[in-house]
Amino acid sequence: MTTPGSRKKRHYWLMKSEPDAFSIDDLQRVGIEPWNGVRNYQARNFMRQMQPGDGVFFYHSNCKVPGIAGIAQVASTAYPDPTQFDPKSDYFDAKSTREEPRWSLVDVAYERTLTRVIPLDEIKQHADALGEGFALTQRGSRLSVLPVTAAQWKLLLSLE
C-alpha cells in the first residue's frame, strides 16, 4: 500500500479550462492557482490522487480551437475547495460542510506554454496509439480532469 508522500512515480493529468475564464496565459501571469470549481465526483476523485510534481497538460476547452495549450505541474496535495462554502460563489454547495467537505482542489503551477496548441482534432488522429483508456478521444467524455499515462504524455508531447 502506498501512503501519502511515499509514492515515487510521477503521474500525469489533463485539466480542462475555458480560456475565457482562465487560460494558460493567466496561469503564467499568476504562477500558481487553486484549481477550484470542479463539481464532478470522478474529476474530484482524480484530484484527490494527485501529488506535488505530477505533470499536467493544460487544455483549453469550449473555444475556437480546443486543445493542449501548455504544461503545468501539481503544486499541492488536495484540500477542500473554499468556494463550496461561499454562498456568493457560483460553486457554492449548501450540502457541503467544513467538517465534511464534498469538493477538493489542488494548486497548479505554470511550467510552460506550448510552442503551438495541439488541437483536439489532431489528438483524435492518434486515438489508436493513445489507446481506448484515453478519455479525451472517447465520445461523450466531458470530465474536466483526466488521467494520462506516461506513454500518452510522451506521445502527446511529441506532437508539439
Side-chain angles (χ1 to χ4, degrees), residues 15-146:
M15 299 174 86
K16 297 179 184 177
S17 180
E18 296 178 14
D20 290 350
F22 193 78
S23 71
I24 189 68
D25 294 336
D26 294 322
L27 184 59
Q28 181 179 17
R29 185 176 39 77
V30 299
I32 296 178
E33 182 75 6
W35 201 268
N36 63 24
V38 171
R39 295 298 180 266
N40 172 286
Y41 288 105
Q42 191 174 5
R44 176 209 62 190
N45 292 343
F46 287 143
M47 285 200 299
R48 288 180 175 176
Q49 295 173 37
M50 293 177 178
Q51 293 296 317
D54 282 357
V56 174
F57 279 130
F58 194 111
Y59 183 92
H60 284 173
S61 65
N62 293 333
C63 55
K64 189 174 180 180
V65 181
I68 300 170
I71 298 175
Q73 108 171 219
V74 176
S76 73
T77 55
Y79 61 94
D81 181 340
T83 64
Q84 68 192 309
F85 309 121
D86 181 359
K88 296 181 183 110
S89 171
D90 290 341
Y91 303 112
F92 176 67
D93 184 339
K95 294 181 180 176
S96 190
T97 66
R98 293 192 185 275
E99 296 74 31
E100 291 186 40
R102 286 181 167 198
W103 306 108
S104 300
L105 60 75
V106 294
D107 294 335
V108 176
Y110 176 83
E111 235 174 70
R112 71 180 180 91
T113 302
L114 296 185
T115 55
R116 69 178 187 97
V117 171
I118 303 169
L120 177 58
D121 289 344
E122 186 177 339
I123 294 168
K124 285 181 176 180
Q125 293 172 14
H126 298 274
D128 288 345
L130 289 165
E132 285 183 35
F134 192 62
L136 189 64
T137 56
Q138 294 175 339
R139 282 192 165 289
S141 176
R142 309 235 343 122
L143 284 179
S144 61
V145 178
L146 306 167

